[in-house]
Amino acid sequence: MMSAHRAVGYQGILAAEVGQTTVNEPLSNHNSWQIGGPADLLVEPENSTQVANVMRFVQHYQLPLVVIGQGTNLLFDDVGVRGVVLKIGARMDYIDIDGTRIVAGAGTWVPQLARMAMCAGLTGLEHCIGIPGTLGGLVMMNGGSHRHGIGEHVVRVTVVDKDATIQRLSAAECRFDYRYSALQERGAVVVEVELECPHGTPGAIRREMLLDLRERRRKFPRKQPNCGSVFLSTSAMHESVGPPGKIIEEAGLKGLRCGGAEVSRQHANFIVNRGGATSADVLRLISRIRSEIRKQLGFDLRCEVRYVSPNGEISPADRMADRL
Ligand SMILES: Cc1cc2nc3c(=O)[nH]c(=O)nc-3n(C[C@H](O)[C@H](O)[C@H](O)COP(=O)(O)OP(=O)(O)OC[C@H]3O[C@@H](n4cnc5c(N)ncnc54)[C@H](O)[C@@H]3O)c2cc1C
């Protein structure tokens, strides 16, 4: 573990090169479940040069690095992260629209991007209007809704690689697939995204977005901290057993509780923090849901939510839940 003294030392070295840094920052302030212990060092860069400086720094000092956006798809451990957490957020938030081309910073708030596209009369991002994360996180996860993924409109992604070089990757190089991109294995930081969205009918775009937001307000728990859908919902799964929310509900698991974590009574594919939930509570609940569904349907539910270990490794949360 990095001592407080060492963390302050690292902060002194980094501060000159990367803008805002915070020592011992509670990660519960940086994810939508409001769970997680402190990060030794949290860094919020303003541009790709500062991101490259952070990459050089962690390589030089051999420190674990975790890249995050808004933390709306992440479960941090109760003991936090013994290393550097790099947050690509509001400081790297910009949107430029030229014709049908959109260039946006990775820290851009996705609903704002969708709204700007609508105002410019561009179609294709309607399904993103209710996704509460950053563009970088969305591209990394190839997130989306209504069976769409952001990858459908990506032309190029600018990343800072582990060796601190800046690379421009084509959509083909990102190998987008259902809730997957090759970026997940590359360990690179997304800093900018170029999208191509065709012209559409502004009224129709707006109507679709309003419909989506209305649906979300009706279906999803809004008042209790959560991380969106916990389990993956693939089309193969829909055909064989149905969507995760439905099968968890039919298995009688709504309201099942481990400590402060509860299967939402509103939507069974959500786990909500009823107050004071720990990462161990969430992982135990994931494990109980998985084993019950395995027992009842012989089906192995996989997690969309990703667990961040204290040494900075990120993996689907079911892998960690299985180890409990
Ligand atoms: C209420 C609610 C509803 C949601 N609805 C949807 C939905 O409809 N569809 C959907 O797909 N998701 C949904 N989500 C999940 C989540 O919002 C998305 O996955 C979102 O795109 C994650 O963005 P983020 O900035 O929060 O990323 P984070 O959760 O911070 O990170 C997610 C992953 O991306 C990586 N990452 C983040 N930023 C970068 C970067 N700049 N460079 C490299 N790696 C990066 C992280 O390391 C991590 O592996 C929902 C979540 C909530 C809470």
Side-chain angles (χ1 to χ4, degrees):
M1 164 161 176
M2 197 191 286
S3 69
H5 181 69
R6 251 177 107 195
V8 171
Y10 284 134
Q11 183 189 30
I13 302 165
L14 259 179
E17 300 178 42
V18 299
Q20 191 166 314
T21 57
T22 322
V23 170
N24 220 18
E25 173 67 11
L27 288 167
S28 51
N29 294 339
H30 299 274
N31 72 95
S32 54
W33 251 326
Q34 300 175 7
I35 291 173
D40 288 338
L41 217 51
L42 181 101
V43 185
E44 296 182 67
E46 282 173 13
N47 52 47
S48 48
T49 308
Q50 292 187 346
V51 173
N53 289 342
V54 175
M55 298 306 254
R56 268 186 226 104
F57 175 84
V58 295
Q59 288 294 329
H60 182 79
Y61 291 98
Q62 296 285 297
L63 298 173
L65 174 73
V66 176
V67 186
I68 67 166
Q70 287 297 325
T72 57
N73 207 36
L74 291 176
L75 176 64
F76 290 110
D77 196 277
D78 301 323
V79 304
V81 171
R82 302 287 68 83
V84 177
V85 172
L86 178 64
K87 179 167 180 168
I88 306 291
R91 292 164 162 257
M92 291 182 68
D93 175 342
Y94 56 86
I95 303 170
D96 288 319
I97 302 184
D98 184 5
T100 54
R101 224 11 99 97
I102 305 174
V103 176
T108 298
W109 175 241
V110 169
Q112 174 65 1
L113 175 70
R115 219 168 285 130
M116 293 284 282
M118 173 189 75
C119 292
L122 301 180
T123 184
L125 302 185
E126 292 85 333
H127 66 100
C128 299
I129 186 69
I131 302 180
T134 63
L135 181 58
L138 192 71
V139 167
M140 177 61 71
M141 301 299 300
N142 191 21
S145 64
H146 308 294
R147 317 311 299 167
H148 291 289
I150 186 72
E152 291 162 28
H153 291 278
V154 169
V155 179
R156 235 175 307 279
V157 179
T158 306
V159 300
V160 178
D161 262 327
K162 279 182 176 165
D163 63 1
T165 58
I166 295 175
Q167 308 286 346
R168 298 184 83 210
L169 308 175
S170 66
E173 287 172 293
C174 294
R175 288 191 280 119
F176 292 110
D177 203 340
Y178 181 71
R179 301 297 172 260
Y180 171 83
S181 78
L183 299 163
Q184 290 173 11
E185 279 121 48
R186 195 175 174 114
V189 183
V190 177
V191 290
E192 189 177 270
V193 182
E194 197 175 324
L195 302 149
E196 172 71 24
C197 294
H199 287 293
T201 315
I205 298 169
R206 189 163 177 277
R207 264 193 305 281
E208 206 174 320
M209 287 185 176
L210 287 174
L211 259 178
D212 182 278
L213 290 175
R214 207 170 299 144
E215 265 297 271
R216 282 172 186 265
R217 271 196 289 271
R218 190 177 64 78
K219 288 203 309 206
F220 297 171
R222 290 198 299 146
K223 298 217 167 95
Q224 295 146 337
N226 67 77
C227 228
S229 300
V230 173
F231 295 102
L232 278 169
S233 169
T234 62
S235 35
M237 177 183 181
H238 274 243
E239 278 158 33
S240 59
V241 287
K246 181 169 171 281
I247 63 175
I248 297 168
E249 179 172 352
E250 285 174 0
L253 301 178
K254 265 187 168 178
L256 181 69
R257 201 160 169 169
C258 285
E262 184 180 274
V263 177
S264 168
R265 291 163 196 272
Q266 205 171 338
H267 192 307
N269 197 18
F270 282 57
I271 290 178
V272 293
N273 180 352
R274 293 296 307 265
T278 63
S279 63
D281 291 341
V282 174
L283 291 170
R284 273 191 293 127
L285 192 53
I286 288 173
S287 175
R288 284 186 63 185
I289 297 167
R290 273 168 49 75
S291 62
E292 196 55 42
I293 296 299
R294 212 180 287 123
K295 202 162 76 193
Q296 291 193 22
L297 298 174
F299 189 85
D300 221 6
L301 282 170
R302 296 281 171 207
C303 277
E304 180 168 333
V305 164
R306 313 186 94 206
Y307 165 78
V308 184
S309 76
N311 65 6
E313 277 163 24
I314 302 184
S315 56
D318 50 271
R319 280 197 214 149
M320 185 60 196
D322 280 352
R323 282 190 225 142
L324 290 180

